[in-house]
Amino acid sequence: AALFAEGRQHEAIVVASEDRLKEALAAGGVTAFDWDLRAGTSQRSDNAVDILGFDPKQPFSPLAFLERVHPEDRARFKAQVRGVSPHNRSYAATFRFLRHDGREVWLAETAKAEFDAAGHLVRISGLTNDITERKQAELHQRMLTAELDHRVKNALARVAVVAAQTREGSTSMDEFVKALNGRIQSMAAAHSLLSQGHWSGVGLADLVRGQLSPYATAANAQITGPNTVLTAPTAQAVAMVIHELVTNAAKYGALS
């Protein structure tokens, strides 16, 4: 009776451990697999249904898995699997995988191979991790970096043009520095407004208000009219025009 109770307790511990392992795999988006080459069979943990999207009632052979690896990644993935040897038993591969529902996911697979005494490959087992969210985040980050690079280059090009035009219209170094600084500050103010709106556009009234702020008071300026939304390139160009008008008005006109 004592041996029977001990056996039941041991069985309960094993079942509980397996349940915890399944929960850990599911939480991490990881599926475990075992490929027996001699039997030609492949087994995966239950959560492979959620990650890989195949019908659990249908056999899912290694060949069927390989056929769903993205064509652009398939040759490289095959080479990594076939590259295992008694002296190099493991591989790590990252590839795209097409689920039965048509959704494309990114998978990261790490595995270890087993060989018999004659050096023949008999088994491959390992883990497959769904890294789709991470890959999408990386792609988004690359897009943001590319967009930032594009905007910085455009800004530098505009500064170069403004500097050249300011030099042509200046009669002294002090006048050049003062005018150039004002124009760069104008560009920076427009940039800040665009940044606040996540570069989706900026209102014309907001743009005018920002350029007038160093000079305008309740007595000398009034802004009226619809707050028409300007695109980023248009806003940057219009900001420069408004800056020149405001600067001239401050020197010679109503704001002087």
Side-chain angles (χ1 to χ4, degrees), residues 40-55:
T41 59
S42 177
Q43 294 182 334
R44 286 187 175 267
S45 52
D46 294 340
N47 65 336
V49 176
D50 300 322
I51 295 176
L52 303 178
F54 61 83
D55 186 350

Side-chain angles (χ1 to χ4, degrees), residues 194 199-208 227-239 242:
L194 286 166
W199 288 82
S200 59
V202 61
L204 177 58
D206 297 329
L207 201 62
V208 172
N227 194 22
T228 304
V229 176
L230 306 178
T231 63
T234 303
Q236 291 169 322
V238 171
I242 297 173

Side-chain angles (χ1 to χ4, degrees), residues 30-215:
V30 180
T31 174
F33 71 91
D34 183 82
W35 177 17
D36 187 334
L37 278 78
R38 287 178 294 193
T41 59
S42 177
Q43 294 182 334
R44 286 187 175 267
S45 52
D46 294 340
N47 65 336
V49 176
D50 300 322
I51 295 176
L52 303 178
F54 61 83
D55 186 350
K57 298 180 181 179
Q58 299 295 327
F60 199 70
S61 67
L63 180 59
F65 179 88
L66 182 61
E67 288 176 346
R68 292 202 161 270
V69 174
H70 194 286
E72 294 179 5
D73 301 335
R74 192 176 302 156
R76 176 170 48 83
F77 176 69
K78 287 172 62 176
Q80 288 176 294
V81 175
R82 292 175 176 175
V84 295
S85 68
H87 305 291
N88 182 29
R89 294 173 177 266
S90 61
Y91 70 85
T94 301
F95 53 93
R96 289 162 289 179
F97 183 85
L98 184 64
R99 292 162 44 104
H100 281 285
D101 59 10
R103 186 163 67 91
E104 184 180 281
V105 295
W106 275 94
L107 302 177
E109 186 167 287
T110 55
K112 187 174 182 180
E114 295 180 17
F115 296 84
D116 61 17
H120 299 129
L121 178 62
V122 296
R123 183 183 300 275
I124 296 178
S125 57
L127 300 172
T128 304
N129 187 13
D130 183 352
I131 59 170
T132 305
E133 289 187 7
R134 190 187 81 191
K135 279 293 185 179
Q136 289 175 341
E138 290 175 357
L139 176 61
H140 182 62
Q141 184 63 42
R142 286 198 297 270
M143 292 175 61
L144 289 177
T145 302
E147 178 64 19
L148 176 62
D149 181 62
H150 175 70
R151 289 178 182 175
V152 169
K153 288 180 178 178
N154 282 346
L156 292 175
R158 287 195 301 272
V159 169
V161 171
V162 167
Q165 293 176 342
T166 304
R167 180 177 180 277
E168 292 177 0
S170 301
T171 56
S172 68
M173 180 58 68
D174 288 343
E175 183 181 353
F176 167 74
V177 171
K178 183 178 180 180
L180 180 60
N181 180 64
R183 287 168 177 170
I184 291 177
Q185 292 301 320
S186 170
M187 294 172 65
H191 180 95
S192 296
L193 287 174
L194 286 166
S195 180
Q196 292 170 15
H198 304 289
W199 288 82
S200 59
V202 61
L204 177 58
D206 297 329
L207 201 62
V208 172
R209 189 175 294 108
Q211 297 296 328
L212 274 174
S213 60
Y215 311 98

